[in-house]
Amino acid sequence: MNDSDTPVHRRSALRAGAGAALVAALAAGCGDGNSAGTSAKTLTHPAPKKPAGTAGAPAPAPAPRRFPGQPVQIDHGPRDRARVALTFHGQGDPAIARTVLAEAERARAKVTVLAVGSWLDEHPEMARRILDGGHDLGNHTQHHIDISSMGEAQAYAEITGCAQRLRRLTGSIGTWFRPSRTQYATPLVQRLAVRAGYPHVLSYDVDSLDFTSPGAAAVTRKVAGEIRNGSVVSMHFGYADTVAALPVLLTELDRRGLRAVTTTELLT
């Protein structure tokens, strides 16, 4: 049997076709991918249906976990397992966010979303949308400003402000904390995160640079060229390039036998 007959190839072709359709749709509805998010109203997707028998208020979201043997600041998972974590900064146009989530779910991938508190204030329904898709939801500070330059009181307020929003919306402060405007948390920010209830700070070892709007092909090349077993990839909601790159990237992960999972699963 040649490669073109394999089930994996057929799945990959279908996914690549979906990516082409997304690119075409976005070309008509999206601009330059600025930080406020570009319009993608034609690509909205309904939230996943809840399991049969679900009644009343949803169960509280998972709480942060301590992973024995892991440092406070984590930038990758085990290198001996074919798993990776795609993590998204939760901010921008919710229509694009829903499209990213739907595309991941179509490929049976799970992601981790680090939500900005002010974004949740504007779009509170997104917290449950993320969780209902089986994804991790975490804290990316309240206002997404440079936490490394802040004094102790202000930095702590940025962490706890978002944590309070998450708790109000989901019953949990979120499974992860990631500092804003920096790849790595300072020692002070690490201590403040632990004080706020997060045993670990989530960093990453692969930066997609999608926020620079380099084009979908460049995003895919950057991630595909650096990702390996255990990688944690930084990506963003709110950018057309990210939406267009995701189907192709998921196809490449599938080809390599890498499974995209939540960060919790990556480390479990």
Side-chain angles (χ1 to χ4, degrees):
M1 179 181 292
N2 62 37
D3 287 347
S4 64
D5 295 326
T6 64
V8 168
H9 185 88
R10 286 196 295 271
R11 289 199 304 272
S12 299
L14 287 170
R15 248 183 245 158
L22 281 166
V23 172
L26 284 164
C30 294
D32 60 2
N34 58 34
S35 60
T38 44
S39 173
K41 290 183 173 56
T42 59
L43 295 175
T44 56
H45 296 267
K49 293 181 179 179
K50 293 181 181 179
T54 301
R65 288 176 52 184
R66 183 179 302 280
F67 290 88
Q70 291 287 349
V72 171
Q73 186 150 241
I74 296 172
D75 60 8
H76 66 83
R79 297 297 193 189
D80 60 351
R81 291 185 292 182
R83 298 177 182 176
V84 297
L86 304 181
T87 69
F88 290 85
H89 299 232
Q91 194 176 26
D93 186 341
I96 296 182
R98 292 187 189 97
T99 302
V100 169
L101 294 171
E103 190 58 42
E105 290 154 10
R106 186 177 293 113
R108 299 185 179 181
K110 302 300 182 187
V111 303
T112 300
V113 179
L114 294 311
V116 176
S118 59
W119 185 68
L120 293 175
D121 289 341
E122 295 177 2
H123 309 289
E125 74 285 354
M126 289 305 302
R128 185 51 55 182
R129 169 64 184 89
I130 292 161
L131 293 169
D132 286 350
H135 311 291
D136 273 0
L137 177 62
N139 178 336
H140 195 37
T141 73
Q142 179 57 25
H143 297 104
H144 199 254
I145 51 182
D146 184 6
I147 197 169
S148 300
S149 66
M150 296 178 190
E152 181 172 343
Q154 186 183 6
Y156 190 62
E158 278 292 310
I159 299 170
T160 58
C162 185
Q164 290 164 6
R165 269 74 174 173
L166 287 165
R167 188 186 295 280
R168 185 179 70 244
L169 293 169
T170 71
S172 165
I173 64 172
T175 47
W176 299 99
F177 167 73
R178 172 173 286 168
S180 49
R181 306 281 183 178
T182 182
Q183 182 173 359
Y184 293 106
T186 64
L188 171 62
V189 171
Q190 291 182 49
R191 292 195 301 272
L192 296 177
V194 171
R195 186 197 303 172
Y198 300 97
H200 302 285
V201 172
L202 182 60
S203 181
Y204 48 90
D205 64 332
V206 178
D207 189 346
S208 70
L209 298 180
D210 57 350
F211 63 93
T212 65
S213 297
V219 172
T220 303
R221 282 195 304 271
K222 179 72 162 60
V223 176
E226 298 178 14
I227 199 168
R228 57 187 174 125
N229 285 5
S231 282
V232 176
V233 182
S234 172
M235 305 182 80
H236 294 74
F237 286 165
Y239 292 90
D241 290 347
T242 309
V243 181
L246 190 58
V248 182
L249 178 58
L250 290 170
T251 296
E252 177 63 13
L253 296 182
D254 186 45
R255 186 187 71 79
R256 296 188 194 182
L258 292 171
R259 190 157 66 95
V261 299
T262 65
T263 308
T264 297
E265 185 175 351
L266 181 73
L267 295 166
T268 300

